[in-house]
Amino acid sequence: MASNLVLRIGADISELTRRLKQAENRMKRFAFKAESIGQDLTARVSLPIIAIGAAAVSTFAQFDRLEKGLSALNGSAAEGAAQFNRLNQIVLDTRTTLDLKTAALGAQRLQGAGLSAEFAERTIKQLGIAATVSGSAVDDVGGVLRQFTQIVGKGKIEQEDLNTILDRMPAIGALIKKEFGATTAEGIRDTGISMETFVERLVGAIEANESFQNVQGGLAKAFESFTNAVQTGIRPLGETIAKTLELEKNLGKLSDFITKTSLAF
């Protein structure tokens, strides 16, 4: 006849229970610490690396576009790259208020209006110096370069053009009066000079002014130079990432896919 056998062990297992509880708690702490380390690595290492990579690619793309524009105007990639490097040296001049994007776009505009690369670079440099004397910003340099392009393109200066130039760079007002004997657009037009000559003489007046040439950018220029150094420094990284991942080709494929998908709806 079958019977149930109940075996009772009178051993004290409290110590075993305590140690198992300790082990469980240690495992929980380890799991929490591992999760924290993973999150910390993501926040402190992975995310900054991704951000630097994205910034590098963006900088490379922007500079590559500017350099290609200069190449088209100068007739070859080599000449475009050479001018891009010369513009970078102008930006690094401690007397100028400039960044590389403004300088390159300014060169494209001036050369597109028919001025030579050499004169475009002179103009950009001297306006950068005049901006520092005036306490103006980089955007003001870009604005005056646009005005110069417009007046050269249309062959005359209007009072609105002159007002914009003087609003952005008030320090050159005295130079204009001294050089042309006029303080209005009508007075400048009455001299009978071409707008190319107007720009050339104004640039020459800035070059000849000792106070302008001795100005220094100070802390603001130091920040500009630092930003420029970072951008030019990470550009090669961006180029490497872009070429390794074939971003231009693959982004084009992705864009085509998205376009086709959207048209299907």
Side-chain angles (χ1 to χ4, degrees):
M1 182 177 69
S3 62
N4 293 328
L5 176 63
V6 178
L7 180 63
R8 296 181 181 276
I9 299 176
D12 184 2
I13 63 170
S14 60
E15 181 65 17
L16 174 62
T17 302
R18 186 179 67 82
R19 291 185 178 276
L20 287 173
K21 188 66 176 176
Q22 286 178 341
E24 180 185 7
N25 289 337
R26 287 174 181 171
M27 288 297 292
K28 286 181 179 179
R29 287 196 298 271
F30 172 77
F32 176 77
K33 189 171 183 179
E35 182 181 6
S36 298
I37 290 173
Q39 292 174 345
D40 195 50
L41 284 173
T42 298
R44 293 177 181 269
V45 180
S46 300
L47 290 179
I49 288 175
I50 292 172
I52 291 171
V57 171
S58 177
T59 298
F60 166 67
Q62 182 183 85
F63 284 4
D64 186 57
R65 175 185 292 177
L66 293 171
E67 194 169 309
K68 285 179 178 177
L70 293 172
S71 297
L73 288 168
N74 286 285
S76 71
E79 286 297 323
Q83 185 177 27
F84 195 78
N85 290 331
R86 291 196 301 272
L87 291 170
N88 190 43
Q89 292 305 309
I90 292 172
V91 171
L92 293 175
D93 190 318
T94 57
R95 298 170 298 173
T96 63
T97 297
L98 272 175
D99 61 22
L100 197 46
K101 180 180 178 181
T102 301
L105 286 175
Q108 289 183 28
R109 290 190 176 107
L110 292 172
Q111 289 171 237
L115 302 180
S116 69
E118 180 184 1
F119 182 64
E121 292 164 26
R122 277 182 59 207
T123 302
I124 291 164
K125 180 177 181 177
Q126 297 310 317
L127 287 182
I129 291 173
T132 303
V133 175
S134 297
S136 304
V138 172
D139 286 346
D140 293 315
V141 180
V144 174
L145 286 168
R146 282 194 297 272
Q147 291 302 133
F148 277 14
T149 302
Q150 289 175 12
I151 64 176
V152 169
K154 64 188 179 183
K156 66 177 180 177
I157 186 169
E158 305 286 357
Q159 189 60 44
E160 183 180 356
D161 299 318
L162 184 60
N163 289 344
T164 299
I165 292 170
L166 295 180
D167 284 345
R168 289 183 176 274
M169 290 186 192
I172 64 176
L175 296 183
I176 290 176
K177 182 177 181 180
K178 181 180 179 180
E179 182 68 23
F180 304 103
T183 57
T184 65
E186 183 179 3
I188 295 171
R189 290 196 302 269
D190 287 345
T191 63
I193 61 173
S194 69
M195 289 301 97
E196 290 90 341
T197 300
F198 168 75
V199 173
E200 185 171 2
R201 284 176 56 181
L202 180 55
V203 169
I206 298 172
E207 289 174 330
N209 189 288
E210 186 176 351
S211 296
F212 276 66
Q213 298 307 307
N214 289 334
V215 72
Q216 290 294 317
L219 181 59
K221 180 60 183 182
F223 276 116
E224 290 170 6
S225 297
F226 174 76
T227 301
N228 184 68
V230 170
Q231 289 178 331
T232 54
I234 65 175
R235 180 188 178 184
L237 172 62
E239 183 176 8
T240 300
I241 294 172
K243 290 182 176 179
T244 301
L245 300 180
E246 297 183 302
L247 287 181
E248 186 173 353
K249 180 177 73 176
N250 290 324
L251 287 175
K253 289 180 179 179
L254 180 59
S255 297
D256 290 341
F257 172 76
I258 293 173
T259 300
K260 290 177 181 177
T261 303
S262 65
L263 293 175
F265 287 98

